[in-house]
């Protein structure tokens, strides 16, 4: 896995988009509640939620769940989040994507 890879990240609270590069340390996914059917996941941590789309097949459904709309969906892989710091989201999203071998 290349450290030069990134995923698009959308902060749903601030309505901003950024690139998230793979961090050095990844989150322990056992510390979170997740629903991950297939190659997309909804992960709840603390007071926040992280939506991770690892594949274009499930990304539209997850985008509608995250935003309530079909507008402005980025190409997979992407992550959308609210109620959690960008740094923590990066470690969570990359941990899940790496575990599923999607990036």
């Amino acid at each position: 896995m290349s450290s030069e890879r990134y995923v698009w990240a959308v902060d749903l609270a601030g309505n901003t988009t950024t690139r998230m590069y793979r961090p050095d340390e990844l989150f322990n996914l056992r510390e979170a509640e997740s629903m991950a059917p297939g190659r997309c996941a909804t992960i709840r941590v603390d007071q926040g939620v992280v939506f991770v789309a690892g594949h274009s097949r499930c990304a539209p459904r997850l985008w509608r769940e995250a935003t309530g709309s079909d507008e402005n969906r980025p190409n997979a892989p992407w992550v959308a989040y609210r109620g959690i710091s960008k740094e923590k989201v990066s470690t969570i999203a990359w941990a899940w994507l790496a575990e599923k071998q999607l990036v």
Side-chain angles (χ1 to χ4, degrees):
M1 208 175 322
S2 169
S3 64
E4 299 303 312
R5 294 283 315 251
Y6 65 87
V7 295
W8 284 109
V10 179
D11 179 353
L12 298 171
N15 200 23
T16 59
T17 305
T18 187
R19 293 179 182 179
M20 281 190 180
Y21 293 91
R22 189 178 200 275
D24 293 332
E25 293 192 30
L26 300 178
F27 185 78
N28 181 356
L29 292 171
R30 291 179 192 87
E31 297 177 17
E33 174 189 335
S34 65
M35 187 181 104
R39 298 178 187 174
C40 288
T42 301
I43 304 168
R44 297 187 188 288
V45 179
D46 302 326
Q47 301 296 328
V49 62
V50 180
F51 302 92
V52 185
H55 193 272
S56 61
R57 194 168 277 215
C58 56
R61 176 199 52 81
L62 192 64
W63 185 255
R64 281 189 298 277
E65 181 182 327
T67 66
S69 160
D70 287 323
E71 303 289 319
N72 301 321
R73 178 176 42 89
N75 293 325
W78 55 261
V79 59
Y81 63 97
R82 75 171 68 88
I84 192 167
S85 74
K86 181 171 73 170
E87 293 76 20
K88 192 167 187 177
V89 168
S90 179
T91 64
I92 292 168
W94 278 98
W96 189 84
L97 290 166
E99 182 178 283
K100 297 292 184 175
Q101 298 177 348
L102 296 171
V103 288

